[in-house]
Structures are given as structure tokens and as C-alpha cells.
Amino acid sequence: MPPARVVRLPRESRPKRLLPAADLRRLIDAADPITRAHILLGVNCAFGSTDLTELRDVHLSGGWVVLPRRKTGVPRRCPLWPETAEAVAVARRSRPAPANPADADRVFLTVTGRPLKRWKERAGGKAGERGDSVADGWNRLCTSLGVESPGSFYVLRHVFRTVADELPDRPAIDLIMGHHDRSQAAAYRERISDERLINVAKYVNLW
């Protein structure tokens, strides 16, 4: 492995993966109903395109989304803002018929009834990305409004974490994001109250 300094230098030279709140509001206001739901879940719950692809009806209940992160399998629990819950409901009603019956309970599908993000097998059994409708829609919207987005749709995870980290509650923020807490304290922590998670979500919403 190269020294940590060598790894850090290229990262420090890249633009910060952030968007001003004003730009996010412009994007939300101008988006079609499906993309609006995507963006709100992105900044409310730090969802990426894979999370939106994996989201199924069973993961939504009573204004909350409970969906383990596919990348790590770490549990994740997030309270939805009222506007996010409404946007998801609107998008769900206009969802096309699934091309595959196995996708019947996916909250989001493409206009052809397929999962938002598709993978194909690479040599050695590794999955390679074949298509990402979330990123495509995000890029088109940003271009139409003249908004520069560093990091494509995934920038919203960076936005959520940066804003939420102004609160002194890392365990609650980690649970919403699906980040694995390797600290000794996490080994003894048996639960995180809903109030703490709601407090984080409200803080980002006010921002």
C-alpha cells in the first residue's frame, strides 16, 4: 500500500462533493415526480442509486424506511420527512408495470419496468454496472438547470453526512447511512432511540 499521504493528496485536490441548499431546492422543485422522490430520499436518508433500486414496499412502514445497505449488509433505519413520504407515494402510484414479476414490489422501476440499476457478470464472477437510470435522470436535470454536481447522484450522501455531522451524534448518523461502527462502544450499544434519528433527519431538513 502507498503511504497515507500519497492517498490523501489526490483527494484533497478534487472539488468538494457538496451542493448548496439553494441548488438542491432548485433541483427538487424542477424535477419530475420520480426524480424528485429520488433526490429527497438521497438527501433525507443518504440513499444512492443502489439503495433506490433495492427499495421495496416491505422496507417502508409508518413514515420510516428500514433497508440494510447492500454494499455492507449493515442495518439502516431512517425517518422520512413529510415531503419525502409524499413524493415516494406519488412516484409509487405512477410506477410502470414490472417486466419481471419478481420486481412487482420494487418501489421504483424504469419506464420499461426494469430495476433502476442493472448489473452484468464480469470475468471472475464480479458484477459490473450495466446501466443506472438514477444517475442518468440526475445528470439530465442538473444539466438543464446549469447546476454543477461533483460526484453525480452519490453527492447527496456526501451532503447528508457533511450537514448531519454538525450534530454530536455519530452513532445515529451512522445508523441512517448504514455505516459500520467498529468502536468498542458499539459492541455494548444495544439500541439507538427513534428520537435521536428523528433529530438528525430534522436537522438536515432545516438546512
Side-chain angles (χ1 to χ4, degrees), residues 66-174:
V66 181
L67 174 67
R69 193 174 176 210
R70 175 180 173 134
K71 182 177 180 179
T72 60
V74 173
R76 181 172 45 185
R77 179 171 168 80
C78 178
L80 298 178
W81 305 335
E83 56 265 48
T84 305
E86 180 181 359
V88 171
V90 170
R92 185 67 177 83
R93 289 196 296 269
S94 61
R95 195 202 69 168
N100 185 333
D103 298 324
D105 63 341
R106 289 190 192 272
V107 175
F108 300 107
L109 292 172
T110 67
V111 293
T112 59
R114 301 184 183 281
L116 299 177
K117 194 170 183 179
R118 281 85 63 199
W119 292 268
K120 63 181 178 181
E121 290 298 320
R122 288 178 177 169
K126 294 184 178 180
E129 188 174 311
R130 185 172 61 184
D132 188 339
S133 297
V134 178
D136 293 342
W138 168 261
N139 292 336
R140 283 195 301 269
L141 179 62
C142 290
T143 299
S144 69
L145 296 180
V147 173
E148 293 188 14
S149 171
S152 189
F153 185 82
Y154 212 69
V155 71
L156 298 183
R157 277 183 65 82
H158 292 253
V159 169
F160 175 88
R161 185 80 208 201
T162 302
V163 176
D165 266 354
E166 295 177 7
L167 292 175
D169 197 345
R170 177 177 176 177
I173 298 167
D174 283 346

